[in-house]
Amino acid sequence: MGTVLGAMRNVRWHELQHAYGSASQVPGVLSRIAWGDAPTSDEALSDLERWISTPPVFDSTAATVPFLWELAATDTVRDRAGVLDLLATILAAGNAEHPAWTRAAHDAVAAGRATAARLAAAPDTPEAGGPSPARTVRAAATRLLAAIDRHACAGLPPRGAQVR
């Protein structure tokens, strides 16, 4: 697996859930996003979005977010902008029945703010035939950075507040 996604083995995925059951398949999907060809990567990203963030978040969501940040920061990942958009989707999603899952997922997205800022400030590398991948990543990172900066978890107590 190399260094990208290497820490996935430290997560007890089989104990976590996503929208359709056990999250034990999440590492394979993250790997397909990291190293798959374009169709494979696109399908894996779509699967992951359905599993962990649409519409509610799950206990597997917060565990997945650090790996999404890692993928977004890895130049060889084919759809880094799509990964950033998934992070924005997670930030906008919630789970009224499990507010702790919502908080954990949102905090995990917010924890990557420095990565979003770095990606939003990345220089453009022009390419013939359309927008450069760097420009697309920069735009997605800028949108996510703005979402992080204005985010407040509706219906949840402020971070650090005492819950009675």
Side-chain angles (χ1 to χ4, degrees):
M1 229 183 268
T3 58
V4 175
L5 303 178
M8 282 193 312
R9 66 182 159 278
N10 299 328
V11 177
R12 298 174 68 117
W13 296 103
H14 65 282
E15 294 178 4
L16 303 175
Q17 296 292 307
H18 62 57
Y20 301 100
S22 171
S24 60
Q25 315 92 325
V26 169
V29 173
L30 288 167
S31 294
R32 290 193 340 253
I33 294 168
W35 296 290
D37 59 15
T40 300
S41 178
D42 291 346
E43 180 183 348
L45 192 57
S46 178
D47 286 347
L48 192 60
E49 182 172 5
R50 281 193 324 276
W51 290 358
I52 68 168
S53 71
T54 308
V57 296
F58 297 87
D59 59 350
S60 64
T61 306
T64 304
V65 167
F67 302 108
L68 293 173
W69 277 118
E70 188 176 348
L71 293 174
T74 303
D75 291 336
T76 57
V77 171
R78 294 184 187 280
D79 190 3
R80 295 166 62 207
V83 172
L84 291 164
D85 289 340
L86 176 54
L87 287 163
T89 298
I90 291 167
L91 189 64
N95 189 324
E97 293 181 23
H98 299 281
W101 294 354
T102 300
R103 172 68 76 202
H106 292 186
D107 284 349
V109 173
R113 188 190 183 288
T115 300
R118 183 176 54 76
L119 294 172
D124 193 18
T125 53
E127 286 187 17
S132 72
R135 184 177 300 153
T136 305
V137 169
R138 191 172 59 240
T142 300
R143 289 189 303 270
L144 178 54
L145 190 58
I148 290 169
D149 287 347
R150 70 176 178 265
H151 180 73
C153 286
L156 294 178
R159 288 176 180 89
Q162 294 287 335
V163 178
R164 296 175 190 210

